[in-house]
Amino acid sequence: MTTPMSTPSGWITRPETDADRSTVREIELAAFETPLEADLVDALRTDAAWIDGLSIVTADQDGRLVGHALLTRCHIDDTPALCLGPVAVLPEYQRTGAGSAAIRAALRAAKVQGERFVTVLGHPAYYPRFGFARASTWGIGVTLDVPDEALMALTLDPAHRPPGGTIRYAAPFGV
């Protein structure tokens, strides 16, 4: 069991528990325009891509869950890696650091578990603050038509350069 961690911004982060599932779904539903991300999280929970301890929630000082970040297994060709997403924060807590706290906690947990590489398909102005850079820098691509700057990768171990290749997502992603 991982101990909850208070972040410099005052957010408390910890791994999701079974009791958090419905609240995580509510966060995902509130943060996005459609239920696709909430449904994806539910589907990933029953998939082999799910890794215990890498679904992180953010709580305020009163213990109310307000944010969520998820890392699941993907592969870059045959090399195991992680995929970051979805990341969700209740609308009234967006731009407060709740999402960043969850992402940082998820990346720390992944590093502790011995993971080396993380990929994300997301906003190119947001994710570099966590160390992500264009995946194409390392020859990493996807079978989707996405802007080059939106596909990013990160190494959790500077001694290991991310491998080149094509990202293969877990089946629930549908790609």
Side-chain angles (χ1 to χ4, degrees), residues 131-143:
F132 286 94
R134 284 185 188 208
S136 61
T137 302
W138 295 287
I140 300 170
V142 290
T143 58

Side-chain angles (χ1 to χ4, degrees), residues 6 15 40 45-46 50 59 78 84 86 97 115 153 155 172-173:
S6 183
L40 174 60
R45 280 194 187 97
T46 64
W50 186 267
D78 291 328
L84 173 60
E115 297 291 339
T155 182
F173 282 94

Side-chain angles (χ1 to χ4, degrees), residues 68-144:
H68 176 245
L70 179 62
L71 290 168
T72 53
R73 176 69 61 219
C74 70
H75 290 82
I76 303 171
D77 283 346
D78 291 328
T79 303
L82 297 173
C83 168
L84 173 60
V87 174
V89 175
L90 290 174
E92 62 269 30
Y93 291 93
Q94 291 174 2
R95 301 188 186 284
T96 65
S100 293
I103 292 168
R104 285 189 176 95
L107 294 173
R108 278 191 305 271
K111 185 173 183 173
V112 166
Q113 289 193 22
E115 297 291 339
R116 291 187 178 163
F117 312 114
V118 183
T119 65
V120 67
L121 182 56
H123 199 284
Y126 182 72
Y127 291 98
R129 71 184 70 183
F130 306 104
F132 286 94
R134 284 185 188 208
S136 61
T137 302
W138 295 287
I140 300 170
V142 290
T143 58
L144 307 165

Side-chain angles (χ1 to χ4, degrees), residues 3-44:
T3 305
M5 176 184 282
S6 183
T7 66
S9 60
W11 294 110
I12 298 165
T13 58
R14 62 172 172 77
E16 171 190 320
T17 66
D18 289 344
D20 298 328
R21 286 183 177 189
S22 64
T23 305
V24 168
R25 182 169 177 82
E26 290 171 16
I27 293 167
E28 298 286 341
L29 289 170
F32 295 101
E33 294 179 9
T34 72
L36 292 176
E37 286 82 1
D39 293 345
L40 174 60
V41 172
D42 289 343
L44 285 165

